[in-house]
Every structure is written in C-alpha cells, then in structure tokens.
Amino acid sequence: MIPVTPLANEKPSALATDISERLNAAIREHLLSAFAPDSTKTLRSFSAPEAAELLGVSGQFMRKLHSEGTIPEPEDVRGGRRFYSAQEVWDAREILEKSSRKKGRYLPRRSGDEKLQVWQLMNFKGGSSKSTTSIHLAHYFALRGYRVLVVDLDPQGSLTSMCGISPEIEFDGLTVYDAIRYDDPVSMADVVVPTYFPGLSIAPSRLMLSEFETESAVHSNPDQPFFTRIRNALSQVEGDFDLVLMDSPPQLGFLTIAGMAAASSLIVPLTPSMLDVSSTAQFLELAGAYMGVIEDAGATLQYDHFKFLITRDEPTDVPSQQLTSFMRALFQDRVMSATALKSTAISDATMLKQSIYEVVRSEMTRATYDRAKGSMDAVGHEVEVMIHQSWGRK
C-alpha cells in the first residue's frame, strides 16, 4: 500500500504534485500486479467453435482440415478439445488462402488499387466511448485477417494502454509524436510496433504528444503545415496495412484537425442523451469551420463515409430511444444501423483494459456476453461493409 501523509496546509502546486506522485505510484503498483511480471499483455486462446467462426468455416470442415493435415494441430489440446492461439488462427488463414478458389476469402486484405482505409473516431465530449469503440473495431478486424494499425492521438494514452503499452509506466519506445514533430521527425515505420494481438500494430502515445498542440500554435513554416503531419507520416507505412484507426483526444485541437485531414472516413460516437447531442452539435459546428479554414489553406478533405455511432445504447430506456429515433429521423443513413450497447460485460472488460473479444465467454453470464459481443460484431460488420464499398467490392 502507498503510505498516506497529511495534505493540509500545503501550497496548491505542492498539493497537486503530491497527489500526482501518489496516483502514479499506485497506478504502477496496480499495473505490475495486474499484468505479467514484464508488464506485457497476452491474448487468450480460442475454442474450436470460436476458431471455426473466425475462419468462416464449419466445425466439421475444421476437423477435416486437421485429419488431412492441411493445418497443424494446435499446441493446446485438453481432453481431446482443441484450443487455438490467435497466431494459430492467423497462420491457418494464410494456409487456407493459398488453396482457396476465391481470392480474399480467408485474408480479405486490400489489393491492387484499393486505397488504405483511414478511419478517425472523434468527438470532444468525454465519455462518448471513442477509445472503447476504437479497440473493439481494431480487434474485430485483426481477428478477421486484416492488417490493422491503431494511431493513438490522445496524449492520455488510453488506447495505448489497452494495446499492452502502459504510458503510466514510462516506456522507452518512440511515440506518434516522434513521427509528426516539426524538428527532426523519425520515420513512422520506427514508431509503429506490433502488439500482443496478431494482425494489430500501434503508433503509441503518451503525454509528450500534447507538445504537438503547443508547437503547432507557434509554428510558422508554410512548407510544413500542421494538417499534413499525420497524413505524411501514415504514407510512410501505407503498404503495410489495410486499415488505420485513429483515436482522437476529447477536444478539437491541432491533433484532431490533423487527423481529420488524414482520414478517409469519420465516425462520431455519441451517447443518446440531450447533453451529448448538444455537445456534438457544437463540436461539429467548430469542426466545419476548421475544415473550411484548412481547405482554404490547401488541404483536400474528402470522406468516403461520415457516420454517427450510437454508443452506450440502452434498448429499455425510453428517453434515450426517443433521442436515438430523433437522430435517425434527422440524419437518416448518417447514423449507423448498429449500436454499441451499454453492457456490464464491456464495462468490466474495459476496466481490465480488454475488449469483449479478449474475455472468455464462460467467465461471465453467457447471455450478457452474447449480447455485448453481438453488438460489437454488428458495429464491426457495418464498418467492414463500408470499407468494402470504398474498395469497390460487392
């Protein structure tokens, strides 16, 4: 336990410093006890039915693949039951894709002239589930064989933490700031690191990223406008990924606007409450004004999709459902059909810095798990359909 000392009669600056030191020490202690000794996250294994579902095949077909020796036996076999690591599922995709008559069935990656998909999640209302939605989309697509990069544009580093890198425990690696800073930036390829989740990489964040806001405010070189920084950094790793997901800070600053200039599609998550809807209206009013300014400065903004996503949806809450209906009537297909349910399963997983895809179904009430996972699957599938539309696929 962290020893408690009196806080009375301290200067405000000393008080804030003392509280910060206590919190950081407590967070370090919690993280070191919650994760492995080397502070790394690991991913659970998947049962045979789960693996078959991820591959889009039947259980019978999976057994046939094993009996024929098409795919190797997983390392984890308990009582005659197979359990697959995510890497083993990923390897099975590679094997099956080579013999598939339909190209892209098992590895639905972009090809030819299909452009990199860059999706930004943004809203300056805190608590709109930007980071939670980002990590669920990232895991959804990685589990389905896409090469996914998440870019954490929030200096608080919530998404970075959920990807197994703890900004609270200072790490020595490079961050997205190093790739977009004005003085001597590094290559984005040096910033991007693979995560414990096969198919998923991250350009991490920490508090230093907030320096970009300050530097952009005083930077005056017209050859290096702030709104080109993220777009140029992503172009350096474009060939390595199919999808980029950017999690924006809860404010409309230089980072969010630079993300908007790099994005090919936007998602605005919002909860169905009048305060959140009003806040989102103000956010979009400002966003529209800033978009006009950077367009006048030479930026080209063109979005394949601009969608609202209802988060923390409660189907039994009448007022919130009325507000959701209001949004659908007002914006029609701008509002995604799928919603992210308010769920104790997702809340519990998030507290442990996990997505619902990392939770073992048997560890919670199955109906609760199924509703939560079904909700996030529906959101992921709808985004996947939009991505395929952008690529010109049927």
Side-chain angles (χ1 to χ4, degrees):
M1 294 292 293
I2 307 301
V4 177
T5 56
L7 296 178
N9 301 320
E10 289 191 55
K11 292 182 179 180
S13 59
L15 175 62
T17 301
D18 186 49
I19 291 173
S20 171
E21 289 175 351
R22 287 193 200 178
L23 280 174
N24 284 328
I27 288 168
R28 288 190 186 94
E29 185 176 287
H30 167 72
L31 290 172
L32 289 173
S33 62
F35 296 115
D38 60 356
S39 297
T40 59
K41 287 182 69 177
T42 56
L43 182 58
R44 70 174 177 94
S45 58
F46 296 85
S47 66
E50 287 179 312
E53 180 185 359
L54 288 172
L55 292 170
V57 301
S58 67
Q60 181 180 6
F61 186 68
M62 284 286 285
R63 291 188 292 272
K64 180 174 180 288
L65 292 172
H66 282 298
S67 66
E68 294 174 346
T70 303
I71 60 175
E73 288 288 333
E75 290 187 9
D76 187 1
V77 180
R78 292 172 251 162
R81 300 176 62 192
R82 298 181 177 98
F83 292 86
Y84 302 78
S85 69
Q87 186 61 53
E88 287 171 330
V89 175
W90 188 271
D91 293 342
R93 287 187 181 280
E94 299 273 3
I95 294 170
L96 294 174
E97 179 67 21
K98 291 177 182 178
S99 59
S100 175
R101 295 178 181 177
K102 182 180 178 182
K103 182 176 173 58
R105 177 177 178 182
Y106 298 101
L107 289 175
R109 299 169 181 170
R110 67 191 182 99
S111 60
D113 58 355
E114 294 174 342
K115 67 178 182 179
L116 176 69
Q117 291 294 293
V118 183
W119 287 64
Q120 182 180 23
L121 288 88
M122 63 178 202
N123 197 330
F124 69 12
K125 180 69 172 65
S128 61
S129 299
K130 290 189 304 297
S131 298
T132 300
T133 304
S134 296
I135 197 63
H136 279 88
L137 285 174
H139 287 178
Y140 173 91
F141 281 98
L143 284 172
R144 279 154 184 79
Y146 294 87
R147 300 167 301 167
V148 183
L149 170 65
V150 291
V151 179
D152 193 351
L153 296 179
D154 188 346
Q156 296 180 77
S158 298
L159 190 61
T160 297
S161 186
M162 294 189 80
C163 285
I165 301 173
S166 299
E168 303 94 337
I169 301 176
E170 197 73 6
F171 61 95
D172 297 328
L174 298 170
T175 70
V176 65
Y177 170 73
D178 295 294
I180 64 174
R181 67 192 184 205
Y182 295 92
D183 295 328
D184 195 24
V186 304
S187 169
M188 189 66 158
D190 294 330
V191 170
V192 171
V193 292
T195 70
Y196 64 98
F197 212 105
L200 176 61
S201 298
I202 182 171
S205 169
R206 59 182 168 192
L207 281 176
M208 178 58 72
L209 181 56
S210 60
E211 289 295 309
F212 183 78
E213 299 284 348
T214 304
E215 293 170 2
S216 296
V218 299
H219 186 76
S220 58
N221 187 343
D223 295 329
Q224 299 184 43
F226 78 92
F227 55 81
T228 65
R229 308 301 293 173
I230 295 175
R231 183 182 64 205
N232 292 344
L234 290 178
S235 69
Q236 298 166 7
V237 294
E238 182 175 359
D240 299 328
F241 300 100
D242 307 303
L243 170 64
V244 175
L245 294 165
M246 297 186 295
D247 183 29
S248 304
Q251 63 187 54
L252 192 59
F254 290 105
L255 283 165
T256 299
I257 298 169
M260 288 162 53
S264 60
S265 292
L266 302 177
I267 292 180
V268 180
L270 76 159
T271 58
S273 73
M274 186 53 72
L275 283 176
D276 281 52
V277 171
S278 298
S279 175
T280 300
Q282 296 172 37
F283 171 77
L284 291 174
E285 180 180 358
L286 283 172
Y290 285 130
M291 285 178 181
V293 170
I294 63 176
E295 282 178 328
D296 291 342
T300 301
L301 302 182
Q302 185 173 0
Y303 302 124
D304 296 333
H305 305 280
F306 190 147
K307 298 284 185 174
F308 294 99
L309 170 65
I310 304 298
T311 60
R312 300 189 180 185
D313 183 26
E314 294 183 82
T316 59
D317 186 299
V318 175
S320 71
Q321 292 305 302
Q322 290 175 337
L323 201 52
T324 298
S325 297
F326 167 76
M327 289 290 291
R328 293 194 187 283
L330 190 61
F331 296 110
Q332 299 180 19
D333 61 357
R334 286 262 183 234
V335 182
M336 290 178 59
S337 299
T339 65
L341 291 180
K342 182 177 182 180
S343 168
T344 55
I346 293 176
S347 298
D348 291 348
T350 303
M351 285 182 64
L352 296 174
K353 300 187 177 181
Q354 295 179 328
S355 76
I356 194 67
Y357 299 108
E358 298 178 85
V359 177
V360 179
R361 183 171 180 256
S362 60
E363 292 181 354
M364 59 177 59
T365 304
R366 294 191 173 188
T368 301
Y369 174 89
D370 290 343
R371 280 195 299 271
K373 181 176 179 295
S375 166
M376 300 317 299
D377 281 347
V379 173
H381 177 69
E382 188 168 344
V383 173
E384 187 175 20
V385 169
M386 288 188 280
I387 287 174
H388 286 188
Q389 288 174 349
S390 297
W391 284 339
R393 297 185 187 179
K394 294 182 180 179

